[in-house]
């Protein structure tokens, strides 16, 4: 079935020429006079705009009217591509395109043949999205898709950067699936999940008897990925010694199994991902710069969801439909108010967090529809509690900005202090975890001994300071009491234990009338 393209008749002369060119190019076209008619067509409520939901819409004019805005919102939510023809008198077409949320735009006068070629490209992109499951009509996601198309056919290493949950693994898989390697393995290794020795054996394999517990030879992930793609997740967490070995693999595609003497040659494409800036890690000296350059041959950045909020309604609707089907629930959808709360929320866990929340709401919402009150308070309040919205930051007076900046700096210092204290604490609890029993010979368990610096020590657990119903100052008072008891009344030591200055302690003793 040919793709269906609707053309708005706002600029009639253009519309006629574009219509003819699209027909010649083999599309099923229809000209529509009112933008609202197109909107109902997009929403599947047909009114004289032909019989099928469109795949793309060409807007020939009237882009600044409110009807166009409404149409574009509906199109985005239904993943219908839009191409806007921008007036030559408009100042910045790129700005307009982004503001309106058009998928693409061309400046008038346009060559009808170019319009047809652009529509074809947009529809190819749309098919690519259907194939890879990467949703989003925002410019950011469209740029990512262009890159995926360009990067898939080659074997160069790719580095994907972005916060957790922004879709790094999804993109890596898409590159593999569109590449000539698609018939071969796609293997994921999380570099942050394992300590150095285990990570090396995981990546490169080991020979029998190479270390305690290595009862059999075991193939590493690089060997298993031969001919295919290896996805190194959280590569920024890789220990330095392993970084050296990875560099060697990237340089000549060869490595040694742990305890092995023979170099092994593989044909593997490497895609690495990181949720922190590798450039910063290089500056801090925790990541090798030569390895960074080797990994960063091609790069993709996935912006956080809060920076592409226009994609949220589409994600929400798609996830609702998916989970309603999966859990076999008749589900109406979401109220406009609830959707607005979700669009405005902060989403520190990005698409993953949004997707998980939608799943739980589809399962739990009592009325078969998500309403504002079904949204958990932390999501709802997270939006209202935000002191500055990025968009309005410009409007904040200089003084307030300075105050915010100072508060942020203070917060950062407190965080660093907290981290330092956690790191300085001696390992107190020893925990035995069994790992790696999966693909190894019987009885070859490796035991890893790890100490968890955050785990409370038995002593620090002893005096329970908080009891339900206590206020913060009561908790504080109890903590001071406990510290004084522990240090037998030594105020300097007590202040140290509590991590506050001696003068602060004196002030608090006075405040709470402790003597
Ligand atoms: N653009 C997107 N469209 C649809 N689903 C997405 C998108 N980005 C992320 N997801 C989904 O969100 C979840 C987290 O994505 P993932 O690729 O694991 O993120 P990351 O590797 O960056 O932590 C997955 O379920 C993934 O399918
Ligand atoms: Mg991930």
């Amino acid at each position: 079935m040919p793709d269906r393209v609707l053309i708005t008749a706002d600029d009639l002369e253009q519309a006629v020429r574009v219509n003819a060119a699209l027909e010649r190019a083999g599309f099923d076209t229809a000209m529509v006079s009112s933008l609202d008619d197109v909107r109902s067509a997009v929403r599947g409520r047909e009114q004289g705009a032909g019989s099928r939901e469109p795949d793309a819409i060409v807007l020939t004019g009237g882009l600044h009217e409110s009807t166009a805005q409404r149409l574009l919102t509906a199109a985005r939510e239904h993943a219908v591509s839009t191409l806007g023809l921008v007036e030559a008198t408009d100042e910045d077409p790129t700005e307009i395109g982004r503001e309106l949320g058009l998928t693409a735009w061309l400046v008038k006068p346009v060559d009808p043949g170019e319009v047809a070629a652009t529509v074809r490209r947009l529809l190819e992109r749309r098919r690519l999205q259907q194939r890879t499951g990467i949703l989003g009509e925002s410019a950011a996601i469209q740029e990512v898709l262009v890159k995926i198309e360009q990067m898939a056919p080659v074997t160069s290493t790719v580095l994907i950067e972005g916060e957790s949950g922004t879709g790094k693994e999804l993109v890596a898989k898409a590159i593999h699936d569109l590449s000539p390697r698609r018939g071969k393995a796609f293997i994921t290794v999380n570099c942050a999940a394992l300590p150095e020795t285990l990570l090396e054996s995981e990546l490169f394999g080991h020979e029998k008897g190479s270390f305690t517990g290595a009862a059999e030879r075991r193939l590493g992930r690089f060997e298993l990925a031969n001919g295919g793609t290896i996805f190194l997740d959280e590569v920024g967490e890789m220990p330095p010694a392993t970084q050296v070995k990875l560099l060697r693999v990237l340089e000549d595609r060869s490595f040694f199994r742990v305890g092995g003497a023979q170099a092994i040659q593989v044909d593997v494409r490497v895609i690495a991902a990181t949720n922190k800036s590798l450039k910063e890690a290089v500056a801090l000296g925790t990541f090798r710069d030569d390895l960074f350059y080797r990994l960063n041959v091609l790069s993709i950045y996935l912006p956080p969801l809060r920076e592409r909020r226009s994609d949220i309604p589409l994600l929400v609707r798609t996830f609702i439909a998916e989970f309603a089907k999966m859990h076999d629930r008749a589900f109406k959808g979401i109220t406009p108010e609830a959707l607005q709360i979700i669009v405005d929320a902060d989403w520190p866990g990005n698409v993953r967090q949004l997707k998980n929340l939608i799943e739980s709401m589809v399962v739990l919402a009592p009325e078969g529809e998500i309403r504002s009150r079904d949204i958990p308070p932390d999501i709802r309040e997270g939006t209202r509690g935000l002191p500055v919205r990025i968009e309005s930051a410009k409007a904040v007076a200089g003084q307030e900005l300075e105050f915010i900046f100072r508060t942020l700096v203070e917060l950062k210092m407190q965080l660093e202090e907290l981290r330092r204290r956690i790191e300085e604490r001696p390992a107190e609890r020893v925990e035995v975890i069994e790992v790696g029993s999966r693909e190894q010979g019987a009885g070859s368990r490796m035991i890893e001994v790890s100490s968890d610096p955050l785990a409370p020590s038995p002593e620090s657990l002893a005096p329970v300071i908080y009891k339900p119903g206590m206020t913060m100052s009561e908790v504080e008072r109890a903590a001071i009491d406990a510290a004084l008891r522990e240090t037998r009344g030594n105020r300097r030591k007590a202040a140290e234990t509590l991590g506050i200055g001696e003068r602060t302690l004196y002030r608090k003793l006075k405040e709470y009338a402790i003597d």
Side-chain angles (χ1 to χ4, degrees), residues 422-487:
I422 289 173
E423 279 168 2
E424 275 177 4
R425 269 182 71 168
E428 283 159 335
R429 199 178 66 163
V430 171
E431 197 180 30
V432 176
I433 312 168
E434 288 185 1
V435 277
S437 56
R438 216 173 346 121
E439 285 160 59
Q440 289 163 23
S444 66
R445 287 229 176 97
M446 281 175 276
I447 305 291
E448 179 217 356
V449 177
S450 87
S451 53
D452 179 357
L454 278 172
S457 66
E459 308 89 88
S460 69
L461 273 179
V464 177
I465 286 171
Y466 174 76
K467 293 189 197 72
M470 282 172 89
T471 65
M472 198 60 208
S473 43
E474 281 164 355
V475 172
E476 217 179 359
R477 198 198 148 128
I480 293 172
D481 269 331
L484 284 169
R485 246 181 289 126
E486 200 185 72
T487 58

Coordinates of all heavy atoms in Angstrom, one line a residue, residues 422-487:
I422 N 32.1 9.0 53.7 CA 31.8 7.6 53.4 C 33.0 6.8 53.0 O 33.3 5.7 53.4 CB 30.7 7.5 52.3 CG1 29.3 8.0 52.9 CG2 30.5 6.1 51.8 CD1 28.2 8.1 51.9
E423 N 33.8 7.5 52.1 CA 35.0 6.8 51.6 C 36.0 6.6 52.7 O 36.7 5.6 52.7 CB 35.6 7.6 50.5 CG 34.9 7.3 49.1 CD 35.3 8.3 48.1 OE1 36.1 9.2 48.3 OE2 34.7 8.2 47.0
E424 N 36.1 7.5 53.6 CA 37.1 7.3 54.7 C 36.7 6.3 55.7 O 37.5 5.8 56.4 CB 37.2 8.7 55.4 CG 38.2 9.6 54.7 CD 38.3 10.9 55.4 OE1 37.7 11.1 56.5 OE2 39.0 11.8 54.9
R425 N 35.4 6.0 55.8 CA 35.0 5.0 56.8 C 35.6 3.6 56.4 O 35.6 3.2 55.3 CB 33.5 4.8 56.8 CG 32.8 5.7 57.8 CD 31.4 5.5 57.8 NE 31.0 4.3 58.4 CZ 29.8 4.0 58.7 NH1 28.8 4.8 58.5 NH2 29.5 2.8 59.2
P426 N 36.2 3.0 57.4 CA 36.8 1.7 57.1 C 35.7 0.7 56.8 O 34.6 0.8 57.3 CB 37.5 1.3 58.5 CG 36.8 2.1 59.5 CD 36.4 3.4 58.8
A427 N 36.1 -0.3 56.0 CA 35.1 -1.3 55.6 C 34.8 -2.1 56.9 O 35.6 -2.5 57.6 CB 35.8 -2.3 54.6
E428 N 33.5 -2.1 57.2 CA 33.1 -2.7 58.5 C 32.4 -4.0 58.3 O 32.5 -4.9 59.2 CB 32.3 -1.7 59.2 CG 33.1 -0.6 59.8 CD 32.2 0.6 60.1 OE1 31.2 0.7 59.5 OE2 32.6 1.3 61.0
R429 N 31.7 -4.2 57.2 CA 30.9 -5.4 57.1 C 31.5 -6.2 55.9 O 31.8 -5.6 54.9 CB 29.5 -5.0 56.8 CG 28.6 -6.2 57.1 CD 27.2 -5.8 56.9 NE 26.9 -5.6 55.5 CZ 25.7 -5.5 54.9 NH1 24.7 -5.8 55.7 NH2 25.6 -5.3 53.7
V430 N 31.7 -7.4 56.1 CA 32.2 -8.2 55.0 C 31.1 -9.1 54.5 O 30.4 -9.8 55.3 CB 33.4 -9.1 55.5 CG1 33.8 -10.1 54.4 CG2 34.6 -8.2 55.8
E431 N 30.9 -9.0 53.2 CA 29.7 -9.8 52.7 C 30.3 -10.7 51.6 O 31.2 -10.4 50.9 CB 28.8 -8.8 52.0 CG 27.5 -9.3 51.7 CD 26.7 -8.2 51.1 OE1 27.2 -7.4 50.3 OE2 25.5 -8.1 51.3
V432 N 29.8 -11.9 51.6 CA 30.2 -12.9 50.6 C 29.2 -13.0 49.5 O 28.0 -13.3 49.8 CB 30.5 -14.2 51.3 CG1 30.9 -15.3 50.3 CG2 31.6 -14.1 52.4
I433 N 29.6 -12.8 48.3 CA 28.7 -12.9 47.2 C 29.2 -14.0 46.3 O 30.4 -14.0 46.0 CB 28.6 -11.6 46.4 CG1 28.5 -10.4 47.3 CG2 27.5 -11.6 45.4 CD1 28.8 -9.1 46.6
E434 N 28.3 -14.8 45.8 CA 28.7 -15.8 44.9 C 28.4 -15.3 43.5 O 27.4 -14.8 43.2 CB 27.9 -17.1 45.1 CG 28.3 -17.8 46.3 CD 27.6 -19.1 46.5 OE1 26.8 -19.4 45.6 OE2 27.8 -19.7 47.5
V435 N 29.5 -15.3 42.7 CA 29.3 -14.9 41.3 C 29.8 -15.8 40.3 O 30.6 -16.7 40.6 CB 30.0 -13.5 41.1 CG1 29.1 -12.4 41.5 CG2 31.3 -13.5 41.7
G436 N 29.4 -15.7 39.1 CA 30.1 -16.4 38.0 C 29.8 -17.8 37.9 O 30.6 -18.6 37.2
S437 N 28.8 -18.4 38.6 CA 28.6 -19.8 38.5 C 27.9 -20.2 37.2 O 27.8 -21.3 36.9 CB 27.8 -20.3 39.7 OG 26.6 -19.6 39.7
R438 N 27.4 -19.2 36.5 CA 26.6 -19.5 35.3 C 27.3 -20.3 34.3 O 26.9 -21.5 34.1 CB 26.2 -18.1 34.7 CG 24.8 -18.1 34.2 CD 24.4 -16.7 33.7 NE 25.3 -15.7 34.3 CZ 25.9 -14.9 33.5 NH1 25.8 -14.9 32.2 NH2 26.7 -14.0 34.0
E439 N 28.2 -19.7 33.6 CA 28.7 -20.5 32.4 C 30.0 -21.3 32.7 O 30.8 -21.5 31.9 CB 29.0 -19.5 31.3 CG 27.8 -19.0 30.6 CD 28.0 -17.7 29.9 OE1 28.9 -17.7 29.0 OE2 27.4 -16.7 30.2
Q440 N 30.2 -21.6 34.0 CA 31.4 -22.3 34.3 C 31.1 -23.8 34.7 O 30.0 -24.2 34.9 CB 32.0 -21.7 35.5 CG 32.6 -20.3 35.2 CD 32.9 -19.5 36.4 OE1 33.0 -20.1 37.5 NE2 32.9 -18.3 36.3
G441 N 32.2 -24.5 34.7 CA 32.0 -25.9 35.0 C 31.5 -26.1 36.4 O 31.5 -25.2 37.2
A442 N 31.0 -27.3 36.7 CA 30.4 -27.5 38.0 C 31.4 -27.3 39.1 O 32.6 -27.7 38.9 CB 29.8 -28.9 38.0
G443 N 31.0 -26.8 40.1 CA 31.8 -26.7 41.3 C 32.9 -25.6 41.2 O 33.7 -25.5 42.1
S444 N 32.8 -24.8 40.2 CA 33.9 -23.8 40.0 C 33.3 -22.4 40.4 O 33.3 -21.5 39.6 CB 34.4 -23.8 38.6 OG 33.4 -23.3 37.8
R445 N 32.9 -22.3 41.6 CA 32.3 -21.0 42.0 C 33.5 -20.1 42.4 O 34.4 -20.5 43.1 CB 31.5 -21.3 43.3 CG 30.2 -21.9 42.9 CD 29.0 -21.1 43.6 NE 27.8 -21.7 43.1 CZ 27.1 -22.5 43.8 NH1 27.6 -22.9 45.0 NH2 26.0 -23.0 43.4
M446 N 33.3 -18.9 42.1 CA 34.3 -17.9 42.6 C 33.6 -17.1 43.7 O 32.5 -16.7 43.6 CB 34.7 -16.9 41.4 CG 35.6 -17.6 40.5 SD 35.9 -16.5 39.1 CE 34.6 -16.8 38.1
I447 N 34.4 -16.9 44.7 CA 33.9 -16.2 45.9 C 34.5 -14.8 45.9 O 35.7 -14.7 45.8 CB 34.2 -16.9 47.2 CG1 33.7 -18.3 47.1 CG2 33.6 -16.1 48.3 CD1 32.2 -18.5 47.2
E448 N 33.7 -13.8 45.9 CA 34.2 -12.5 46.0 C 33.9 -11.9 47.3 O 32.8 -12.0 47.8 CB 33.6 -11.6 44.9 CG 34.1 -10.2 44.9 CD 32.9 -9.2 44.6 OE1 31.8 -9.7 44.3 OE2 33.2 -8.0 44.7
V449 N 34.9 -11.3 47.9 CA 34.7 -10.7 49.2 C 34.6 -9.2 49.1 O 35.6 -8.6 48.6 CB 35.8 -11.1 50.2 CG1 35.6 -10.4 51.6 CG2 35.9 -12.6 50.4
S450 N 33.5 -8.6 49.4 CA 33.4 -7.2 49.2 C 33.0 -6.5 50.5 O 32.2 -7.1 51.3 CB 32.5 -6.9 48.1 OG 31.2 -6.8 48.6
S451 N 33.5 -5.4 50.7 CA 33.0 -4.7 51.9 C 32.1 -3.5 51.4 O 32.5 -2.8 50.5 CB 34.2 -4.2 52.7 OG 35.0 -3.4 51.9
D452 N 31.1 -3.3 52.1 CA 30.1 -2.3 51.7 C 30.3 -1.1 52.6 O 29.9 -1.2 53.8 CB 28.7 -2.9 51.7 CG 27.7 -1.8 51.3 OD1 28.1 -0.7 51.1 OD2 26.5 -2.2 51.3
P453 N 30.8 0.0 52.1 CA 31.1 1.1 53.0 C 29.8 1.7 53.6 O 29.8 2.4 54.6 CB 31.9 2.1 52.2 CG 31.5 1.7 50.8 CD 31.2 0.3 50.8
L454 N 28.7 1.5 52.9 CA 27.5 2.2 53.4 C 26.7 1.3 54.4 O 25.8 1.8 55.0 CB 26.6 2.4 52.2 CG 26.9 3.7 51.4 CD1 26.1 3.7 50.1 CD2 26.7 4.9 52.2
A455 N 27.1 0.1 54.5 CA 26.4 -0.8 55.4 C 26.7 -0.3 56.9 O 27.8 0.0 57.2 CB 26.9 -2.2 55.3
P456 N 25.7 -0.2 57.7 CA 25.9 0.2 59.0 C 26.7 -0.8 59.9 O 26.5 -2.0 59.7 CB 24.5 0.4 59.6 CG 23.6 -0.5 58.7 CD 24.3 -0.6 57.4
S457 N 27.6 -0.3 60.7 CA 28.3 -1.2 61.6 C 27.4 -1.6 62.7 O 26.4 -0.9 63.0 CB 29.5 -0.5 62.1 OG 29.1 0.5 63.0
P458 N 27.7 -2.7 63.4 CA 26.8 -3.1 64.5 C 26.7 -2.1 65.6 O 25.7 -1.8 66.1 CB 27.5 -4.4 65.0 CG 28.4 -4.9 63.9 CD 28.7 -3.7 63.1
E459 N 27.9 -1.4 65.8 CA 27.9 -0.4 66.9 C 26.9 0.8 66.5 O 26.2 1.3 67.3 CB 29.3 0.2 67.2 CG 30.4 -0.8 67.4 CD 31.0 -1.2 66.1 OE1 31.9 -0.5 65.7 OE2 30.6 -2.1 65.5
S460 N 27.1 1.2 65.2 CA 26.3 2.4 64.9 C 24.9 2.1 64.9 O 24.0 3.0 64.8 CB 26.8 3.0 63.6 OG 26.5 2.1 62.5
L461 N 24.5 0.8 64.8 CA 23.1 0.4 64.8 C 22.6 0.5 66.3 O 21.4 0.6 66.5 CB 23.0 -1.0 64.3 CG 22.8 -1.1 62.8 CD1 22.7 -2.5 62.4 CD2 21.6 -0.3 62.3
A462 N 23.5 0.3 67.2 CA 23.0 0.1 68.6 C 22.0 1.1 69.1 O 20.9 0.7 69.4 CB 24.2 -0.1 69.5
P463 N 22.4 2.4 69.3 CA 21.4 3.3 69.8 C 20.4 3.7 68.7 O 20.8 4.4 67.8 CB 22.2 4.5 70.3 CG 23.5 4.4 69.6 CD 23.6 3.1 68.9
V464 N 19.2 3.3 68.8 CA 18.2 3.7 67.8 C 17.8 5.2 68.1 O 17.3 5.4 69.2 CB 17.0 2.8 67.7 CG1 16.0 3.3 66.7 CG2 17.5 1.4 67.4
I465 N 18.1 6.1 67.2 CA 17.9 7.5 67.5 C 16.5 7.9 67.1 O 15.8 8.6 67.8 CB 18.9 8.4 66.9 CG1 20.2 8.2 67.7 CG2 18.5 9.8 66.9 CD1 21.4 8.8 67.1
Y466 N 16.0 7.4 66.0 CA 14.7 7.9 65.5 C 13.6 6.9 65.9 O 13.7 5.7 65.7 CB 14.7 8.0 63.9 CG 13.4 8.3 63.4 CD1 12.8 9.6 63.5 CD2 12.6 7.3 62.8 CE1 11.6 9.9 63.1 CE2 11.3 7.6 62.4 CZ 10.8 8.9 62.5 OH 9.6 9.1 62.0
K467 N 12.5 7.5 66.4 CA 11.3 6.7 66.6 C 10.2 7.4 66.0 O 10.2 8.6 65.9 CB 11.1 6.6 68.1 CG 12.1 5.8 68.9 CD 11.6 5.5 70.3 CE 12.8 5.1 71.2 NZ 13.7 6.2 71.5
P468 N 9.3 6.6 65.4 CA 8.2 7.3 64.7 C 7.5 8.4 65.5 O 7.3 8.2 66.8 CB 7.2 6.2 64.4 CG 8.0 4.9 64.4 CD 9.2 5.2 65.4
G469 N 7.2 9.5 64.9 CA 6.6 10.6 65.7 C 7.5 11.7 66.1 O 7.1 12.7 66.6
M470 N 8.9 11.4 66.0 CA 9.8 12.4 66.5 C 10.0 13.5 65.5 O 9.9 13.3 64.3 CB 11.2 11.7 66.7 CG 11.3 10.9 68.0 SD 12.8 10.0 68.0 CE 13.9 11.2 68.8
T471 N 10.2 14.7 66.0 CA 10.5 15.9 65.1 C 12.0 15.9 64.9 O 12.8 15.2 65.6 CB 10.1 17.2 65.8 OG1 10.9 17.4 66.9 CG2 8.6 17.2 66.2
M472 N 12.4 16.7 63.9 CA 13.8 16.8 63.5 C 14.6 17.3 64.7 O 15.7 16.7 64.9 CB 13.9 17.8 62.3 CG 15.2 17.7 61.6 SD 15.4 16.0 60.9 CE 17.2 15.9 60.9
S473 N 14.1 18.3 65.5 CA 15.0 18.7 66.6 C 15.1 17.7 67.7 O 16.1 17.6 68.3 CB 14.5 20.1 67.1 OG 13.1 20.1 67.2
E474 N 14.0 16.9 67.8 CA 14.1 15.8 68.8 C 15.2 14.8 68.4 O 15.9 14.3 69.2 CB 12.8 15.1 69.0 CG 11.8 15.9 69.9 CD 10.4 15.5 69.8 OE1 10.1 14.6 68.9 OE2 9.5 16.0 70.5
V475 N 15.2 14.5 67.0 CA 16.2 13.6 66.5 C 17.6 14.1 66.8 O 18.5 13.4 67.2 CB 15.9 13.3 65.0 CG1 17.1 12.5 64.4 CG2 14.6 12.6 64.8
E476 N 17.7 15.4 66.5 CA 19.0 16.1 66.6 C 19.5 16.0 68.1 O 20.6 15.6 68.4 CB 18.9 17.5 66.2 CG 20.1 18.0 65.5 CD 20.0 19.4 65.0 OE1 19.0 20.0 65.2 OE2 21.0 19.9 64.4
R477 N 18.6 16.3 68.9 CA 18.9 16.3 70.4 C 19.3 14.9 70.8 O 20.3 14.7 71.5 CB 17.6 16.7 71.1 CG 18.0 17.1 72.5 CD 16.9 17.2 73.5 NE 17.5 16.8 74.8 CZ 17.3 17.5 75.9 NH1 16.6 18.6 75.9 NH2 18.0 17.2 77.0
A478 N 18.5 13.9 70.3 CA 18.9 12.5 70.7 C 20.2 12.1 70.2 O 21.0 11.4 70.8 CB 17.8 11.6 70.2
A479 N 20.5 12.6 69.0 CA 21.8 12.3 68.4 C 23.0 12.9 69.2 O 24.0 12.3 69.4 CB 21.9 12.8 66.9
I480 N 22.8 14.1 69.6 CA 23.8 14.8 70.4 C 24.0 14.1 71.7 O 25.1 13.8 72.1 CB 23.4 16.3 70.6 CG1 23.5 17.0 69.2 CG2 24.3 17.0 71.6 CD1 22.9 18.4 69.3
D481 N 22.9 13.8 72.3 CA 22.9 13.0 73.6 C 23.7 11.7 73.4 O 24.6 11.4 74.2 CB 21.5 12.6 74.0 CG 20.9 13.7 74.9 OD1 21.7 14.3 75.6 OD2 19.7 13.8 74.9
A482 N 23.4 11.0 72.3 CA 24.1 9.7 72.1 C 25.6 9.9 71.9 O 26.4 9.2 72.4 CB 23.5 9.0 70.9
A483 N 25.9 11.0 71.1 CA 27.3 11.2 70.8 C 28.1 11.6 72.1 O 29.2 11.1 72.3 CB 27.5 12.3 69.8
L484 N 27.5 12.4 72.9 CA 28.1 12.8 74.2 C 28.3 11.5 75.1 O 29.3 11.4 75.7 CB 27.3 13.8 74.9 CG 27.4 15.2 74.3 CD1 26.4 16.2 74.9 CD2 28.8 15.8 74.5
R485 N 27.3 10.7 75.1 CA 27.4 9.5 75.9 C 28.6 8.6 75.4 O 29.4 8.2 76.2 CB 26.1 8.7 75.9 CG 25.5 8.6 77.2 CD 24.2 7.8 77.2 NE 23.1 8.5 76.4 CZ 22.5 8.0 75.4 NH1 22.8 6.7 75.0 NH2 21.5 8.6 74.8
E486 N 28.7 8.5 74.1 CA 29.7 7.7 73.5 C 31.1 8.2 73.7 O 32.0 7.5 74.0 CB 29.4 7.5 72.0 CG 30.1 6.4 71.4 CD 29.9 6.4 69.8 OE1 30.6 7.2 69.2 OE2 29.2 5.5 69.4
T487 N 31.2 9.5 73.7 CA 32.5 10.1 73.9 C 32.7 10.5 75.4 O 33.6 11.3 75.7 CB 32.7 11.4 73.1 OG1 31.6 12.3 73.4 CG2 32.6 11.0 71.6

